[in-house]
Amino acid sequence: MSMDALRALVRRLRAKLADDIIENRIDEGYSISKLSAVQHENLQNHTEQNMEALQEENRLLRLGKEVLLKKSTTDPLTGLYNRVKMEEVFLYEQKQFFRHGDDFSMILMDLDNFKAINDNYGHNIGDNYLRELAGTLTEFFRNVDMIGRWGGEEFLILLPRTSLEEAKKMALRLSAKVSAIDCPRIGQQTASFGLATLTRGDTLSTVVGRADKGLFLAKKRGKNRVEITV
């Protein structure tokens, strides 16, 4: 059920509840004070049932909102954050950086030769590997770090309160973790990494641009490397 349908259902239920109460309170000119004990009890039971139904619809509405929010912020294949959510997280962390001055770095990771996997083994095998990789990334990074699928086989990791040197150490350890993944049929794979750290004059585009230059350099120098450009 869509959000609009849920909202419409709640509105109709609220309106029906109000109408039912009015109809039971005034019947052929008699006020509720003149109703019998049985009628009072029936009215109370009916009202309670409607209130329970309304509470259930509100619960479903909240659940629907949560489902839609998750769909709008996560990558359906890997379950990681999507590009839109990563841009939102970056803006928040950028404000924290301006306010507190803590280090804020990022890792841009791209799988080496991944196109050959899809070409030689099919997209289902490639998708299985990406899901396996997403699990490895989630286990590897801290709770404060944000991991997103930036596009295709490219992943962006935002590292609050992390210097460029610390980010490099993490990327080197991650490189070993990625190489250790043994996916059925395709075997072990490698990845290349570009790193950057935020400065006060940066936007998302400029800092990701520096990380992308590092990634390009890693590919140029033979892949399966970690590189930093200034």
Side-chain angles (χ1 to χ4, degrees):
M1 180 180 291
S2 68
M3 287 295 298
D4 289 340
L6 281 173
R7 291 192 182 97
L9 186 58
V10 170
R11 286 197 298 270
R12 289 198 300 272
L13 188 56
R14 284 173 175 162
K16 185 178 185 303
L17 176 60
D19 291 342
D20 287 348
I21 292 174
I22 292 172
E23 289 174 2
N24 282 282
R25 286 176 63 93
I26 301 175
D27 183 13
E28 297 181 357
Y30 291 92
S31 69
I32 193 170
S33 61
K34 296 181 181 180
L35 296 177
S36 67
V38 174
Q39 288 173 314
H40 271 293
E41 183 178 355
N42 289 340
L43 173 60
Q44 182 177 357
N45 291 338
H46 184 66
T47 302
E48 289 175 354
Q49 290 172 1
N50 279 338
M51 288 300 298
E52 290 174 359
L54 181 59
Q55 289 171 356
E56 176 63 13
E57 292 303 327
N58 281 332
R59 186 188 70 81
L60 291 175
L61 182 60
R62 289 194 298 271
L63 180 61
K65 286 181 178 180
E66 292 173 2
V67 170
L68 288 178
L69 178 61
K70 185 173 182 179
K71 286 183 177 180
S72 67
T73 58
T74 58
D75 172 60
L77 175 62
T78 63
L80 301 175
Y81 283 145
N82 60 20
R83 190 170 185 133
V84 172
K85 180 61 178 180
M86 291 298 286
E87 290 173 351
E88 177 187 324
V89 171
F90 172 83
L91 291 176
Y92 172 80
E93 293 297 342
Q94 185 184 42
K95 289 179 182 178
Q96 298 301 107
F97 168 79
F98 288 148
R99 181 175 300 169
H100 303 292
D102 295 332
D103 290 323
F104 177 37
S105 300
M106 64 174 57
I107 299 172
L108 188 62
M109 181 186 86
D110 187 76
L111 296 173
D112 298 327
N113 308 312
F114 188 73
K115 184 178 182 299
I117 295 175
N118 287 330
D119 292 343
N120 296 329
Y121 300 98
H123 287 276
N124 286 339
I125 298 296
D127 289 349
N128 288 339
Y129 178 80
L130 290 178
R131 282 188 284 265
E132 181 76 17
L133 175 64
T136 298
L137 294 176
T138 302
E139 292 176 3
F140 179 83
F141 285 102
R142 306 165 299 181
N143 290 336
V144 296
D145 302 328
M146 297 297 169
I147 314 160
R149 188 180 182 191
W150 198 240
E153 61 269 20
E154 196 171 59
F155 298 83
L156 181 67
I157 302 99
L158 303 181
L159 306 170
R161 298 184 293 280
T162 305
S163 69
L164 195 58
E165 186 58 32
E166 290 169 330
K168 182 178 180 180
K169 292 177 182 178
M170 294 175 74
L172 289 170
R173 294 201 311 272
L174 177 59
S175 178
K177 282 282 188 181
V178 172
S179 298
I181 298 174
D182 191 10
C183 195
R185 294 186 63 182
I186 65 174
Q188 295 173 320
Q189 303 297 313
T190 61
S192 297
F193 303 83
L195 278 59
T197 193
L198 188 68
T199 65
R200 289 200 170 269
D202 270 326
T203 63
L204 176 60
S205 177
T206 58
V207 68
V208 170
R210 287 200 304 279
D212 192 51
K213 287 180 180 178
L215 179 59
F216 176 80
L217 189 60
K219 296 283 188 180
K220 185 178 180 180
R221 290 179 174 175
K223 303 179 181 178
N224 193 23
R225 297 175 59 90
V226 176
E227 295 289 349
I228 302 171
T229 58
V230 179

